[in-house]
Amino acid sequence: MALRIIKLFAQATTTTTTTTKPTVLKFFYETVEQTTPGNTLTIDAASFETDSGAAVTELPELPTDNSYFTVEINGALQMQDLLSYTPGATGVGKLEIDVPVGSDPIEAQTPIVLEVVIFDPESTSDTTIIT
């Protein structure tokens, strides 16, 4: 018999199931005064209310690659580059909205909605090997 390479035969099938498990938090604020173009509206964490109307004590951390936030002003979604989000409690946590020169001002009594989405993904895998 001639020399030859003997190799194993194995076939594997893997099924992975991932659950995203999002947590969606909404924070509400109504402006007190007008913010004119060229200025920044800064909203402290304690100035927001929750869905139930309770006072907010802290804006949550945003885990890298597993979270995002959006802001609506008077029902219109805003561009991300105008926004700055800082997590934390009163005096630290805040949302800043830059009002660009040449745009309309943000008027007093304008509703602002901050929505934070945090994912806590969980995956399970099942591998079957046939030899």
Side-chain angles (χ1 to χ4, degrees):
M1 178 187 306
L3 297 175
R4 65 183 187 274
I5 300 293
I6 300 173
K7 54 184 182 175
L8 296 175
F9 171 78
Q11 179 179 358
T13 304
T14 300
T15 302
T16 302
T17 303
T18 302
T19 305
T20 56
K21 297 174 25 180
T23 298
V24 180
L25 304 167
K26 293 181 204 154
F27 303 101
F28 301 88
Y29 174 76
E30 188 175 289
T31 60
V32 177
E33 57 188 34
Q34 183 187 69
T35 304
T36 56
N39 291 296
T40 300
L41 172 60
T42 301
I43 308 168
D44 185 77
S47 297
F48 284 102
E49 295 179 348
T50 65
D51 269 331
S52 64
V56 172
T57 57
E58 185 173 7
L59 294 177
E61 290 286 333
L62 297 177
T64 304
D65 297 329
N66 278 338
S67 62
Y68 68 91
F69 74 95
T70 61
V71 173
E72 294 180 12
I73 298 176
N74 206 25
L77 188 61
Q78 299 302 305
M79 296 175 173
Q80 198 72 33
D81 285 351
L82 299 176
L83 311 170
S84 176
Y85 177 90
T86 305
T90 302
V92 175
K94 63 186 173 189
L95 174 68
E96 294 177 307
I97 304 170
D98 292 328
V99 182
V101 173
S103 70
D104 292 332
I106 300 174
E107 300 295 343
Q109 286 81 47
T110 299
I112 296 180
V113 179
L114 166 62
E115 182 178 61
V116 175
V117 180
I118 301 169
F119 295 98
D120 184 20
E122 185 176 274
S123 294
T124 57
S125 292
D126 181 38
T127 301
T128 303
I129 299 174
I130 302 169
T131 57

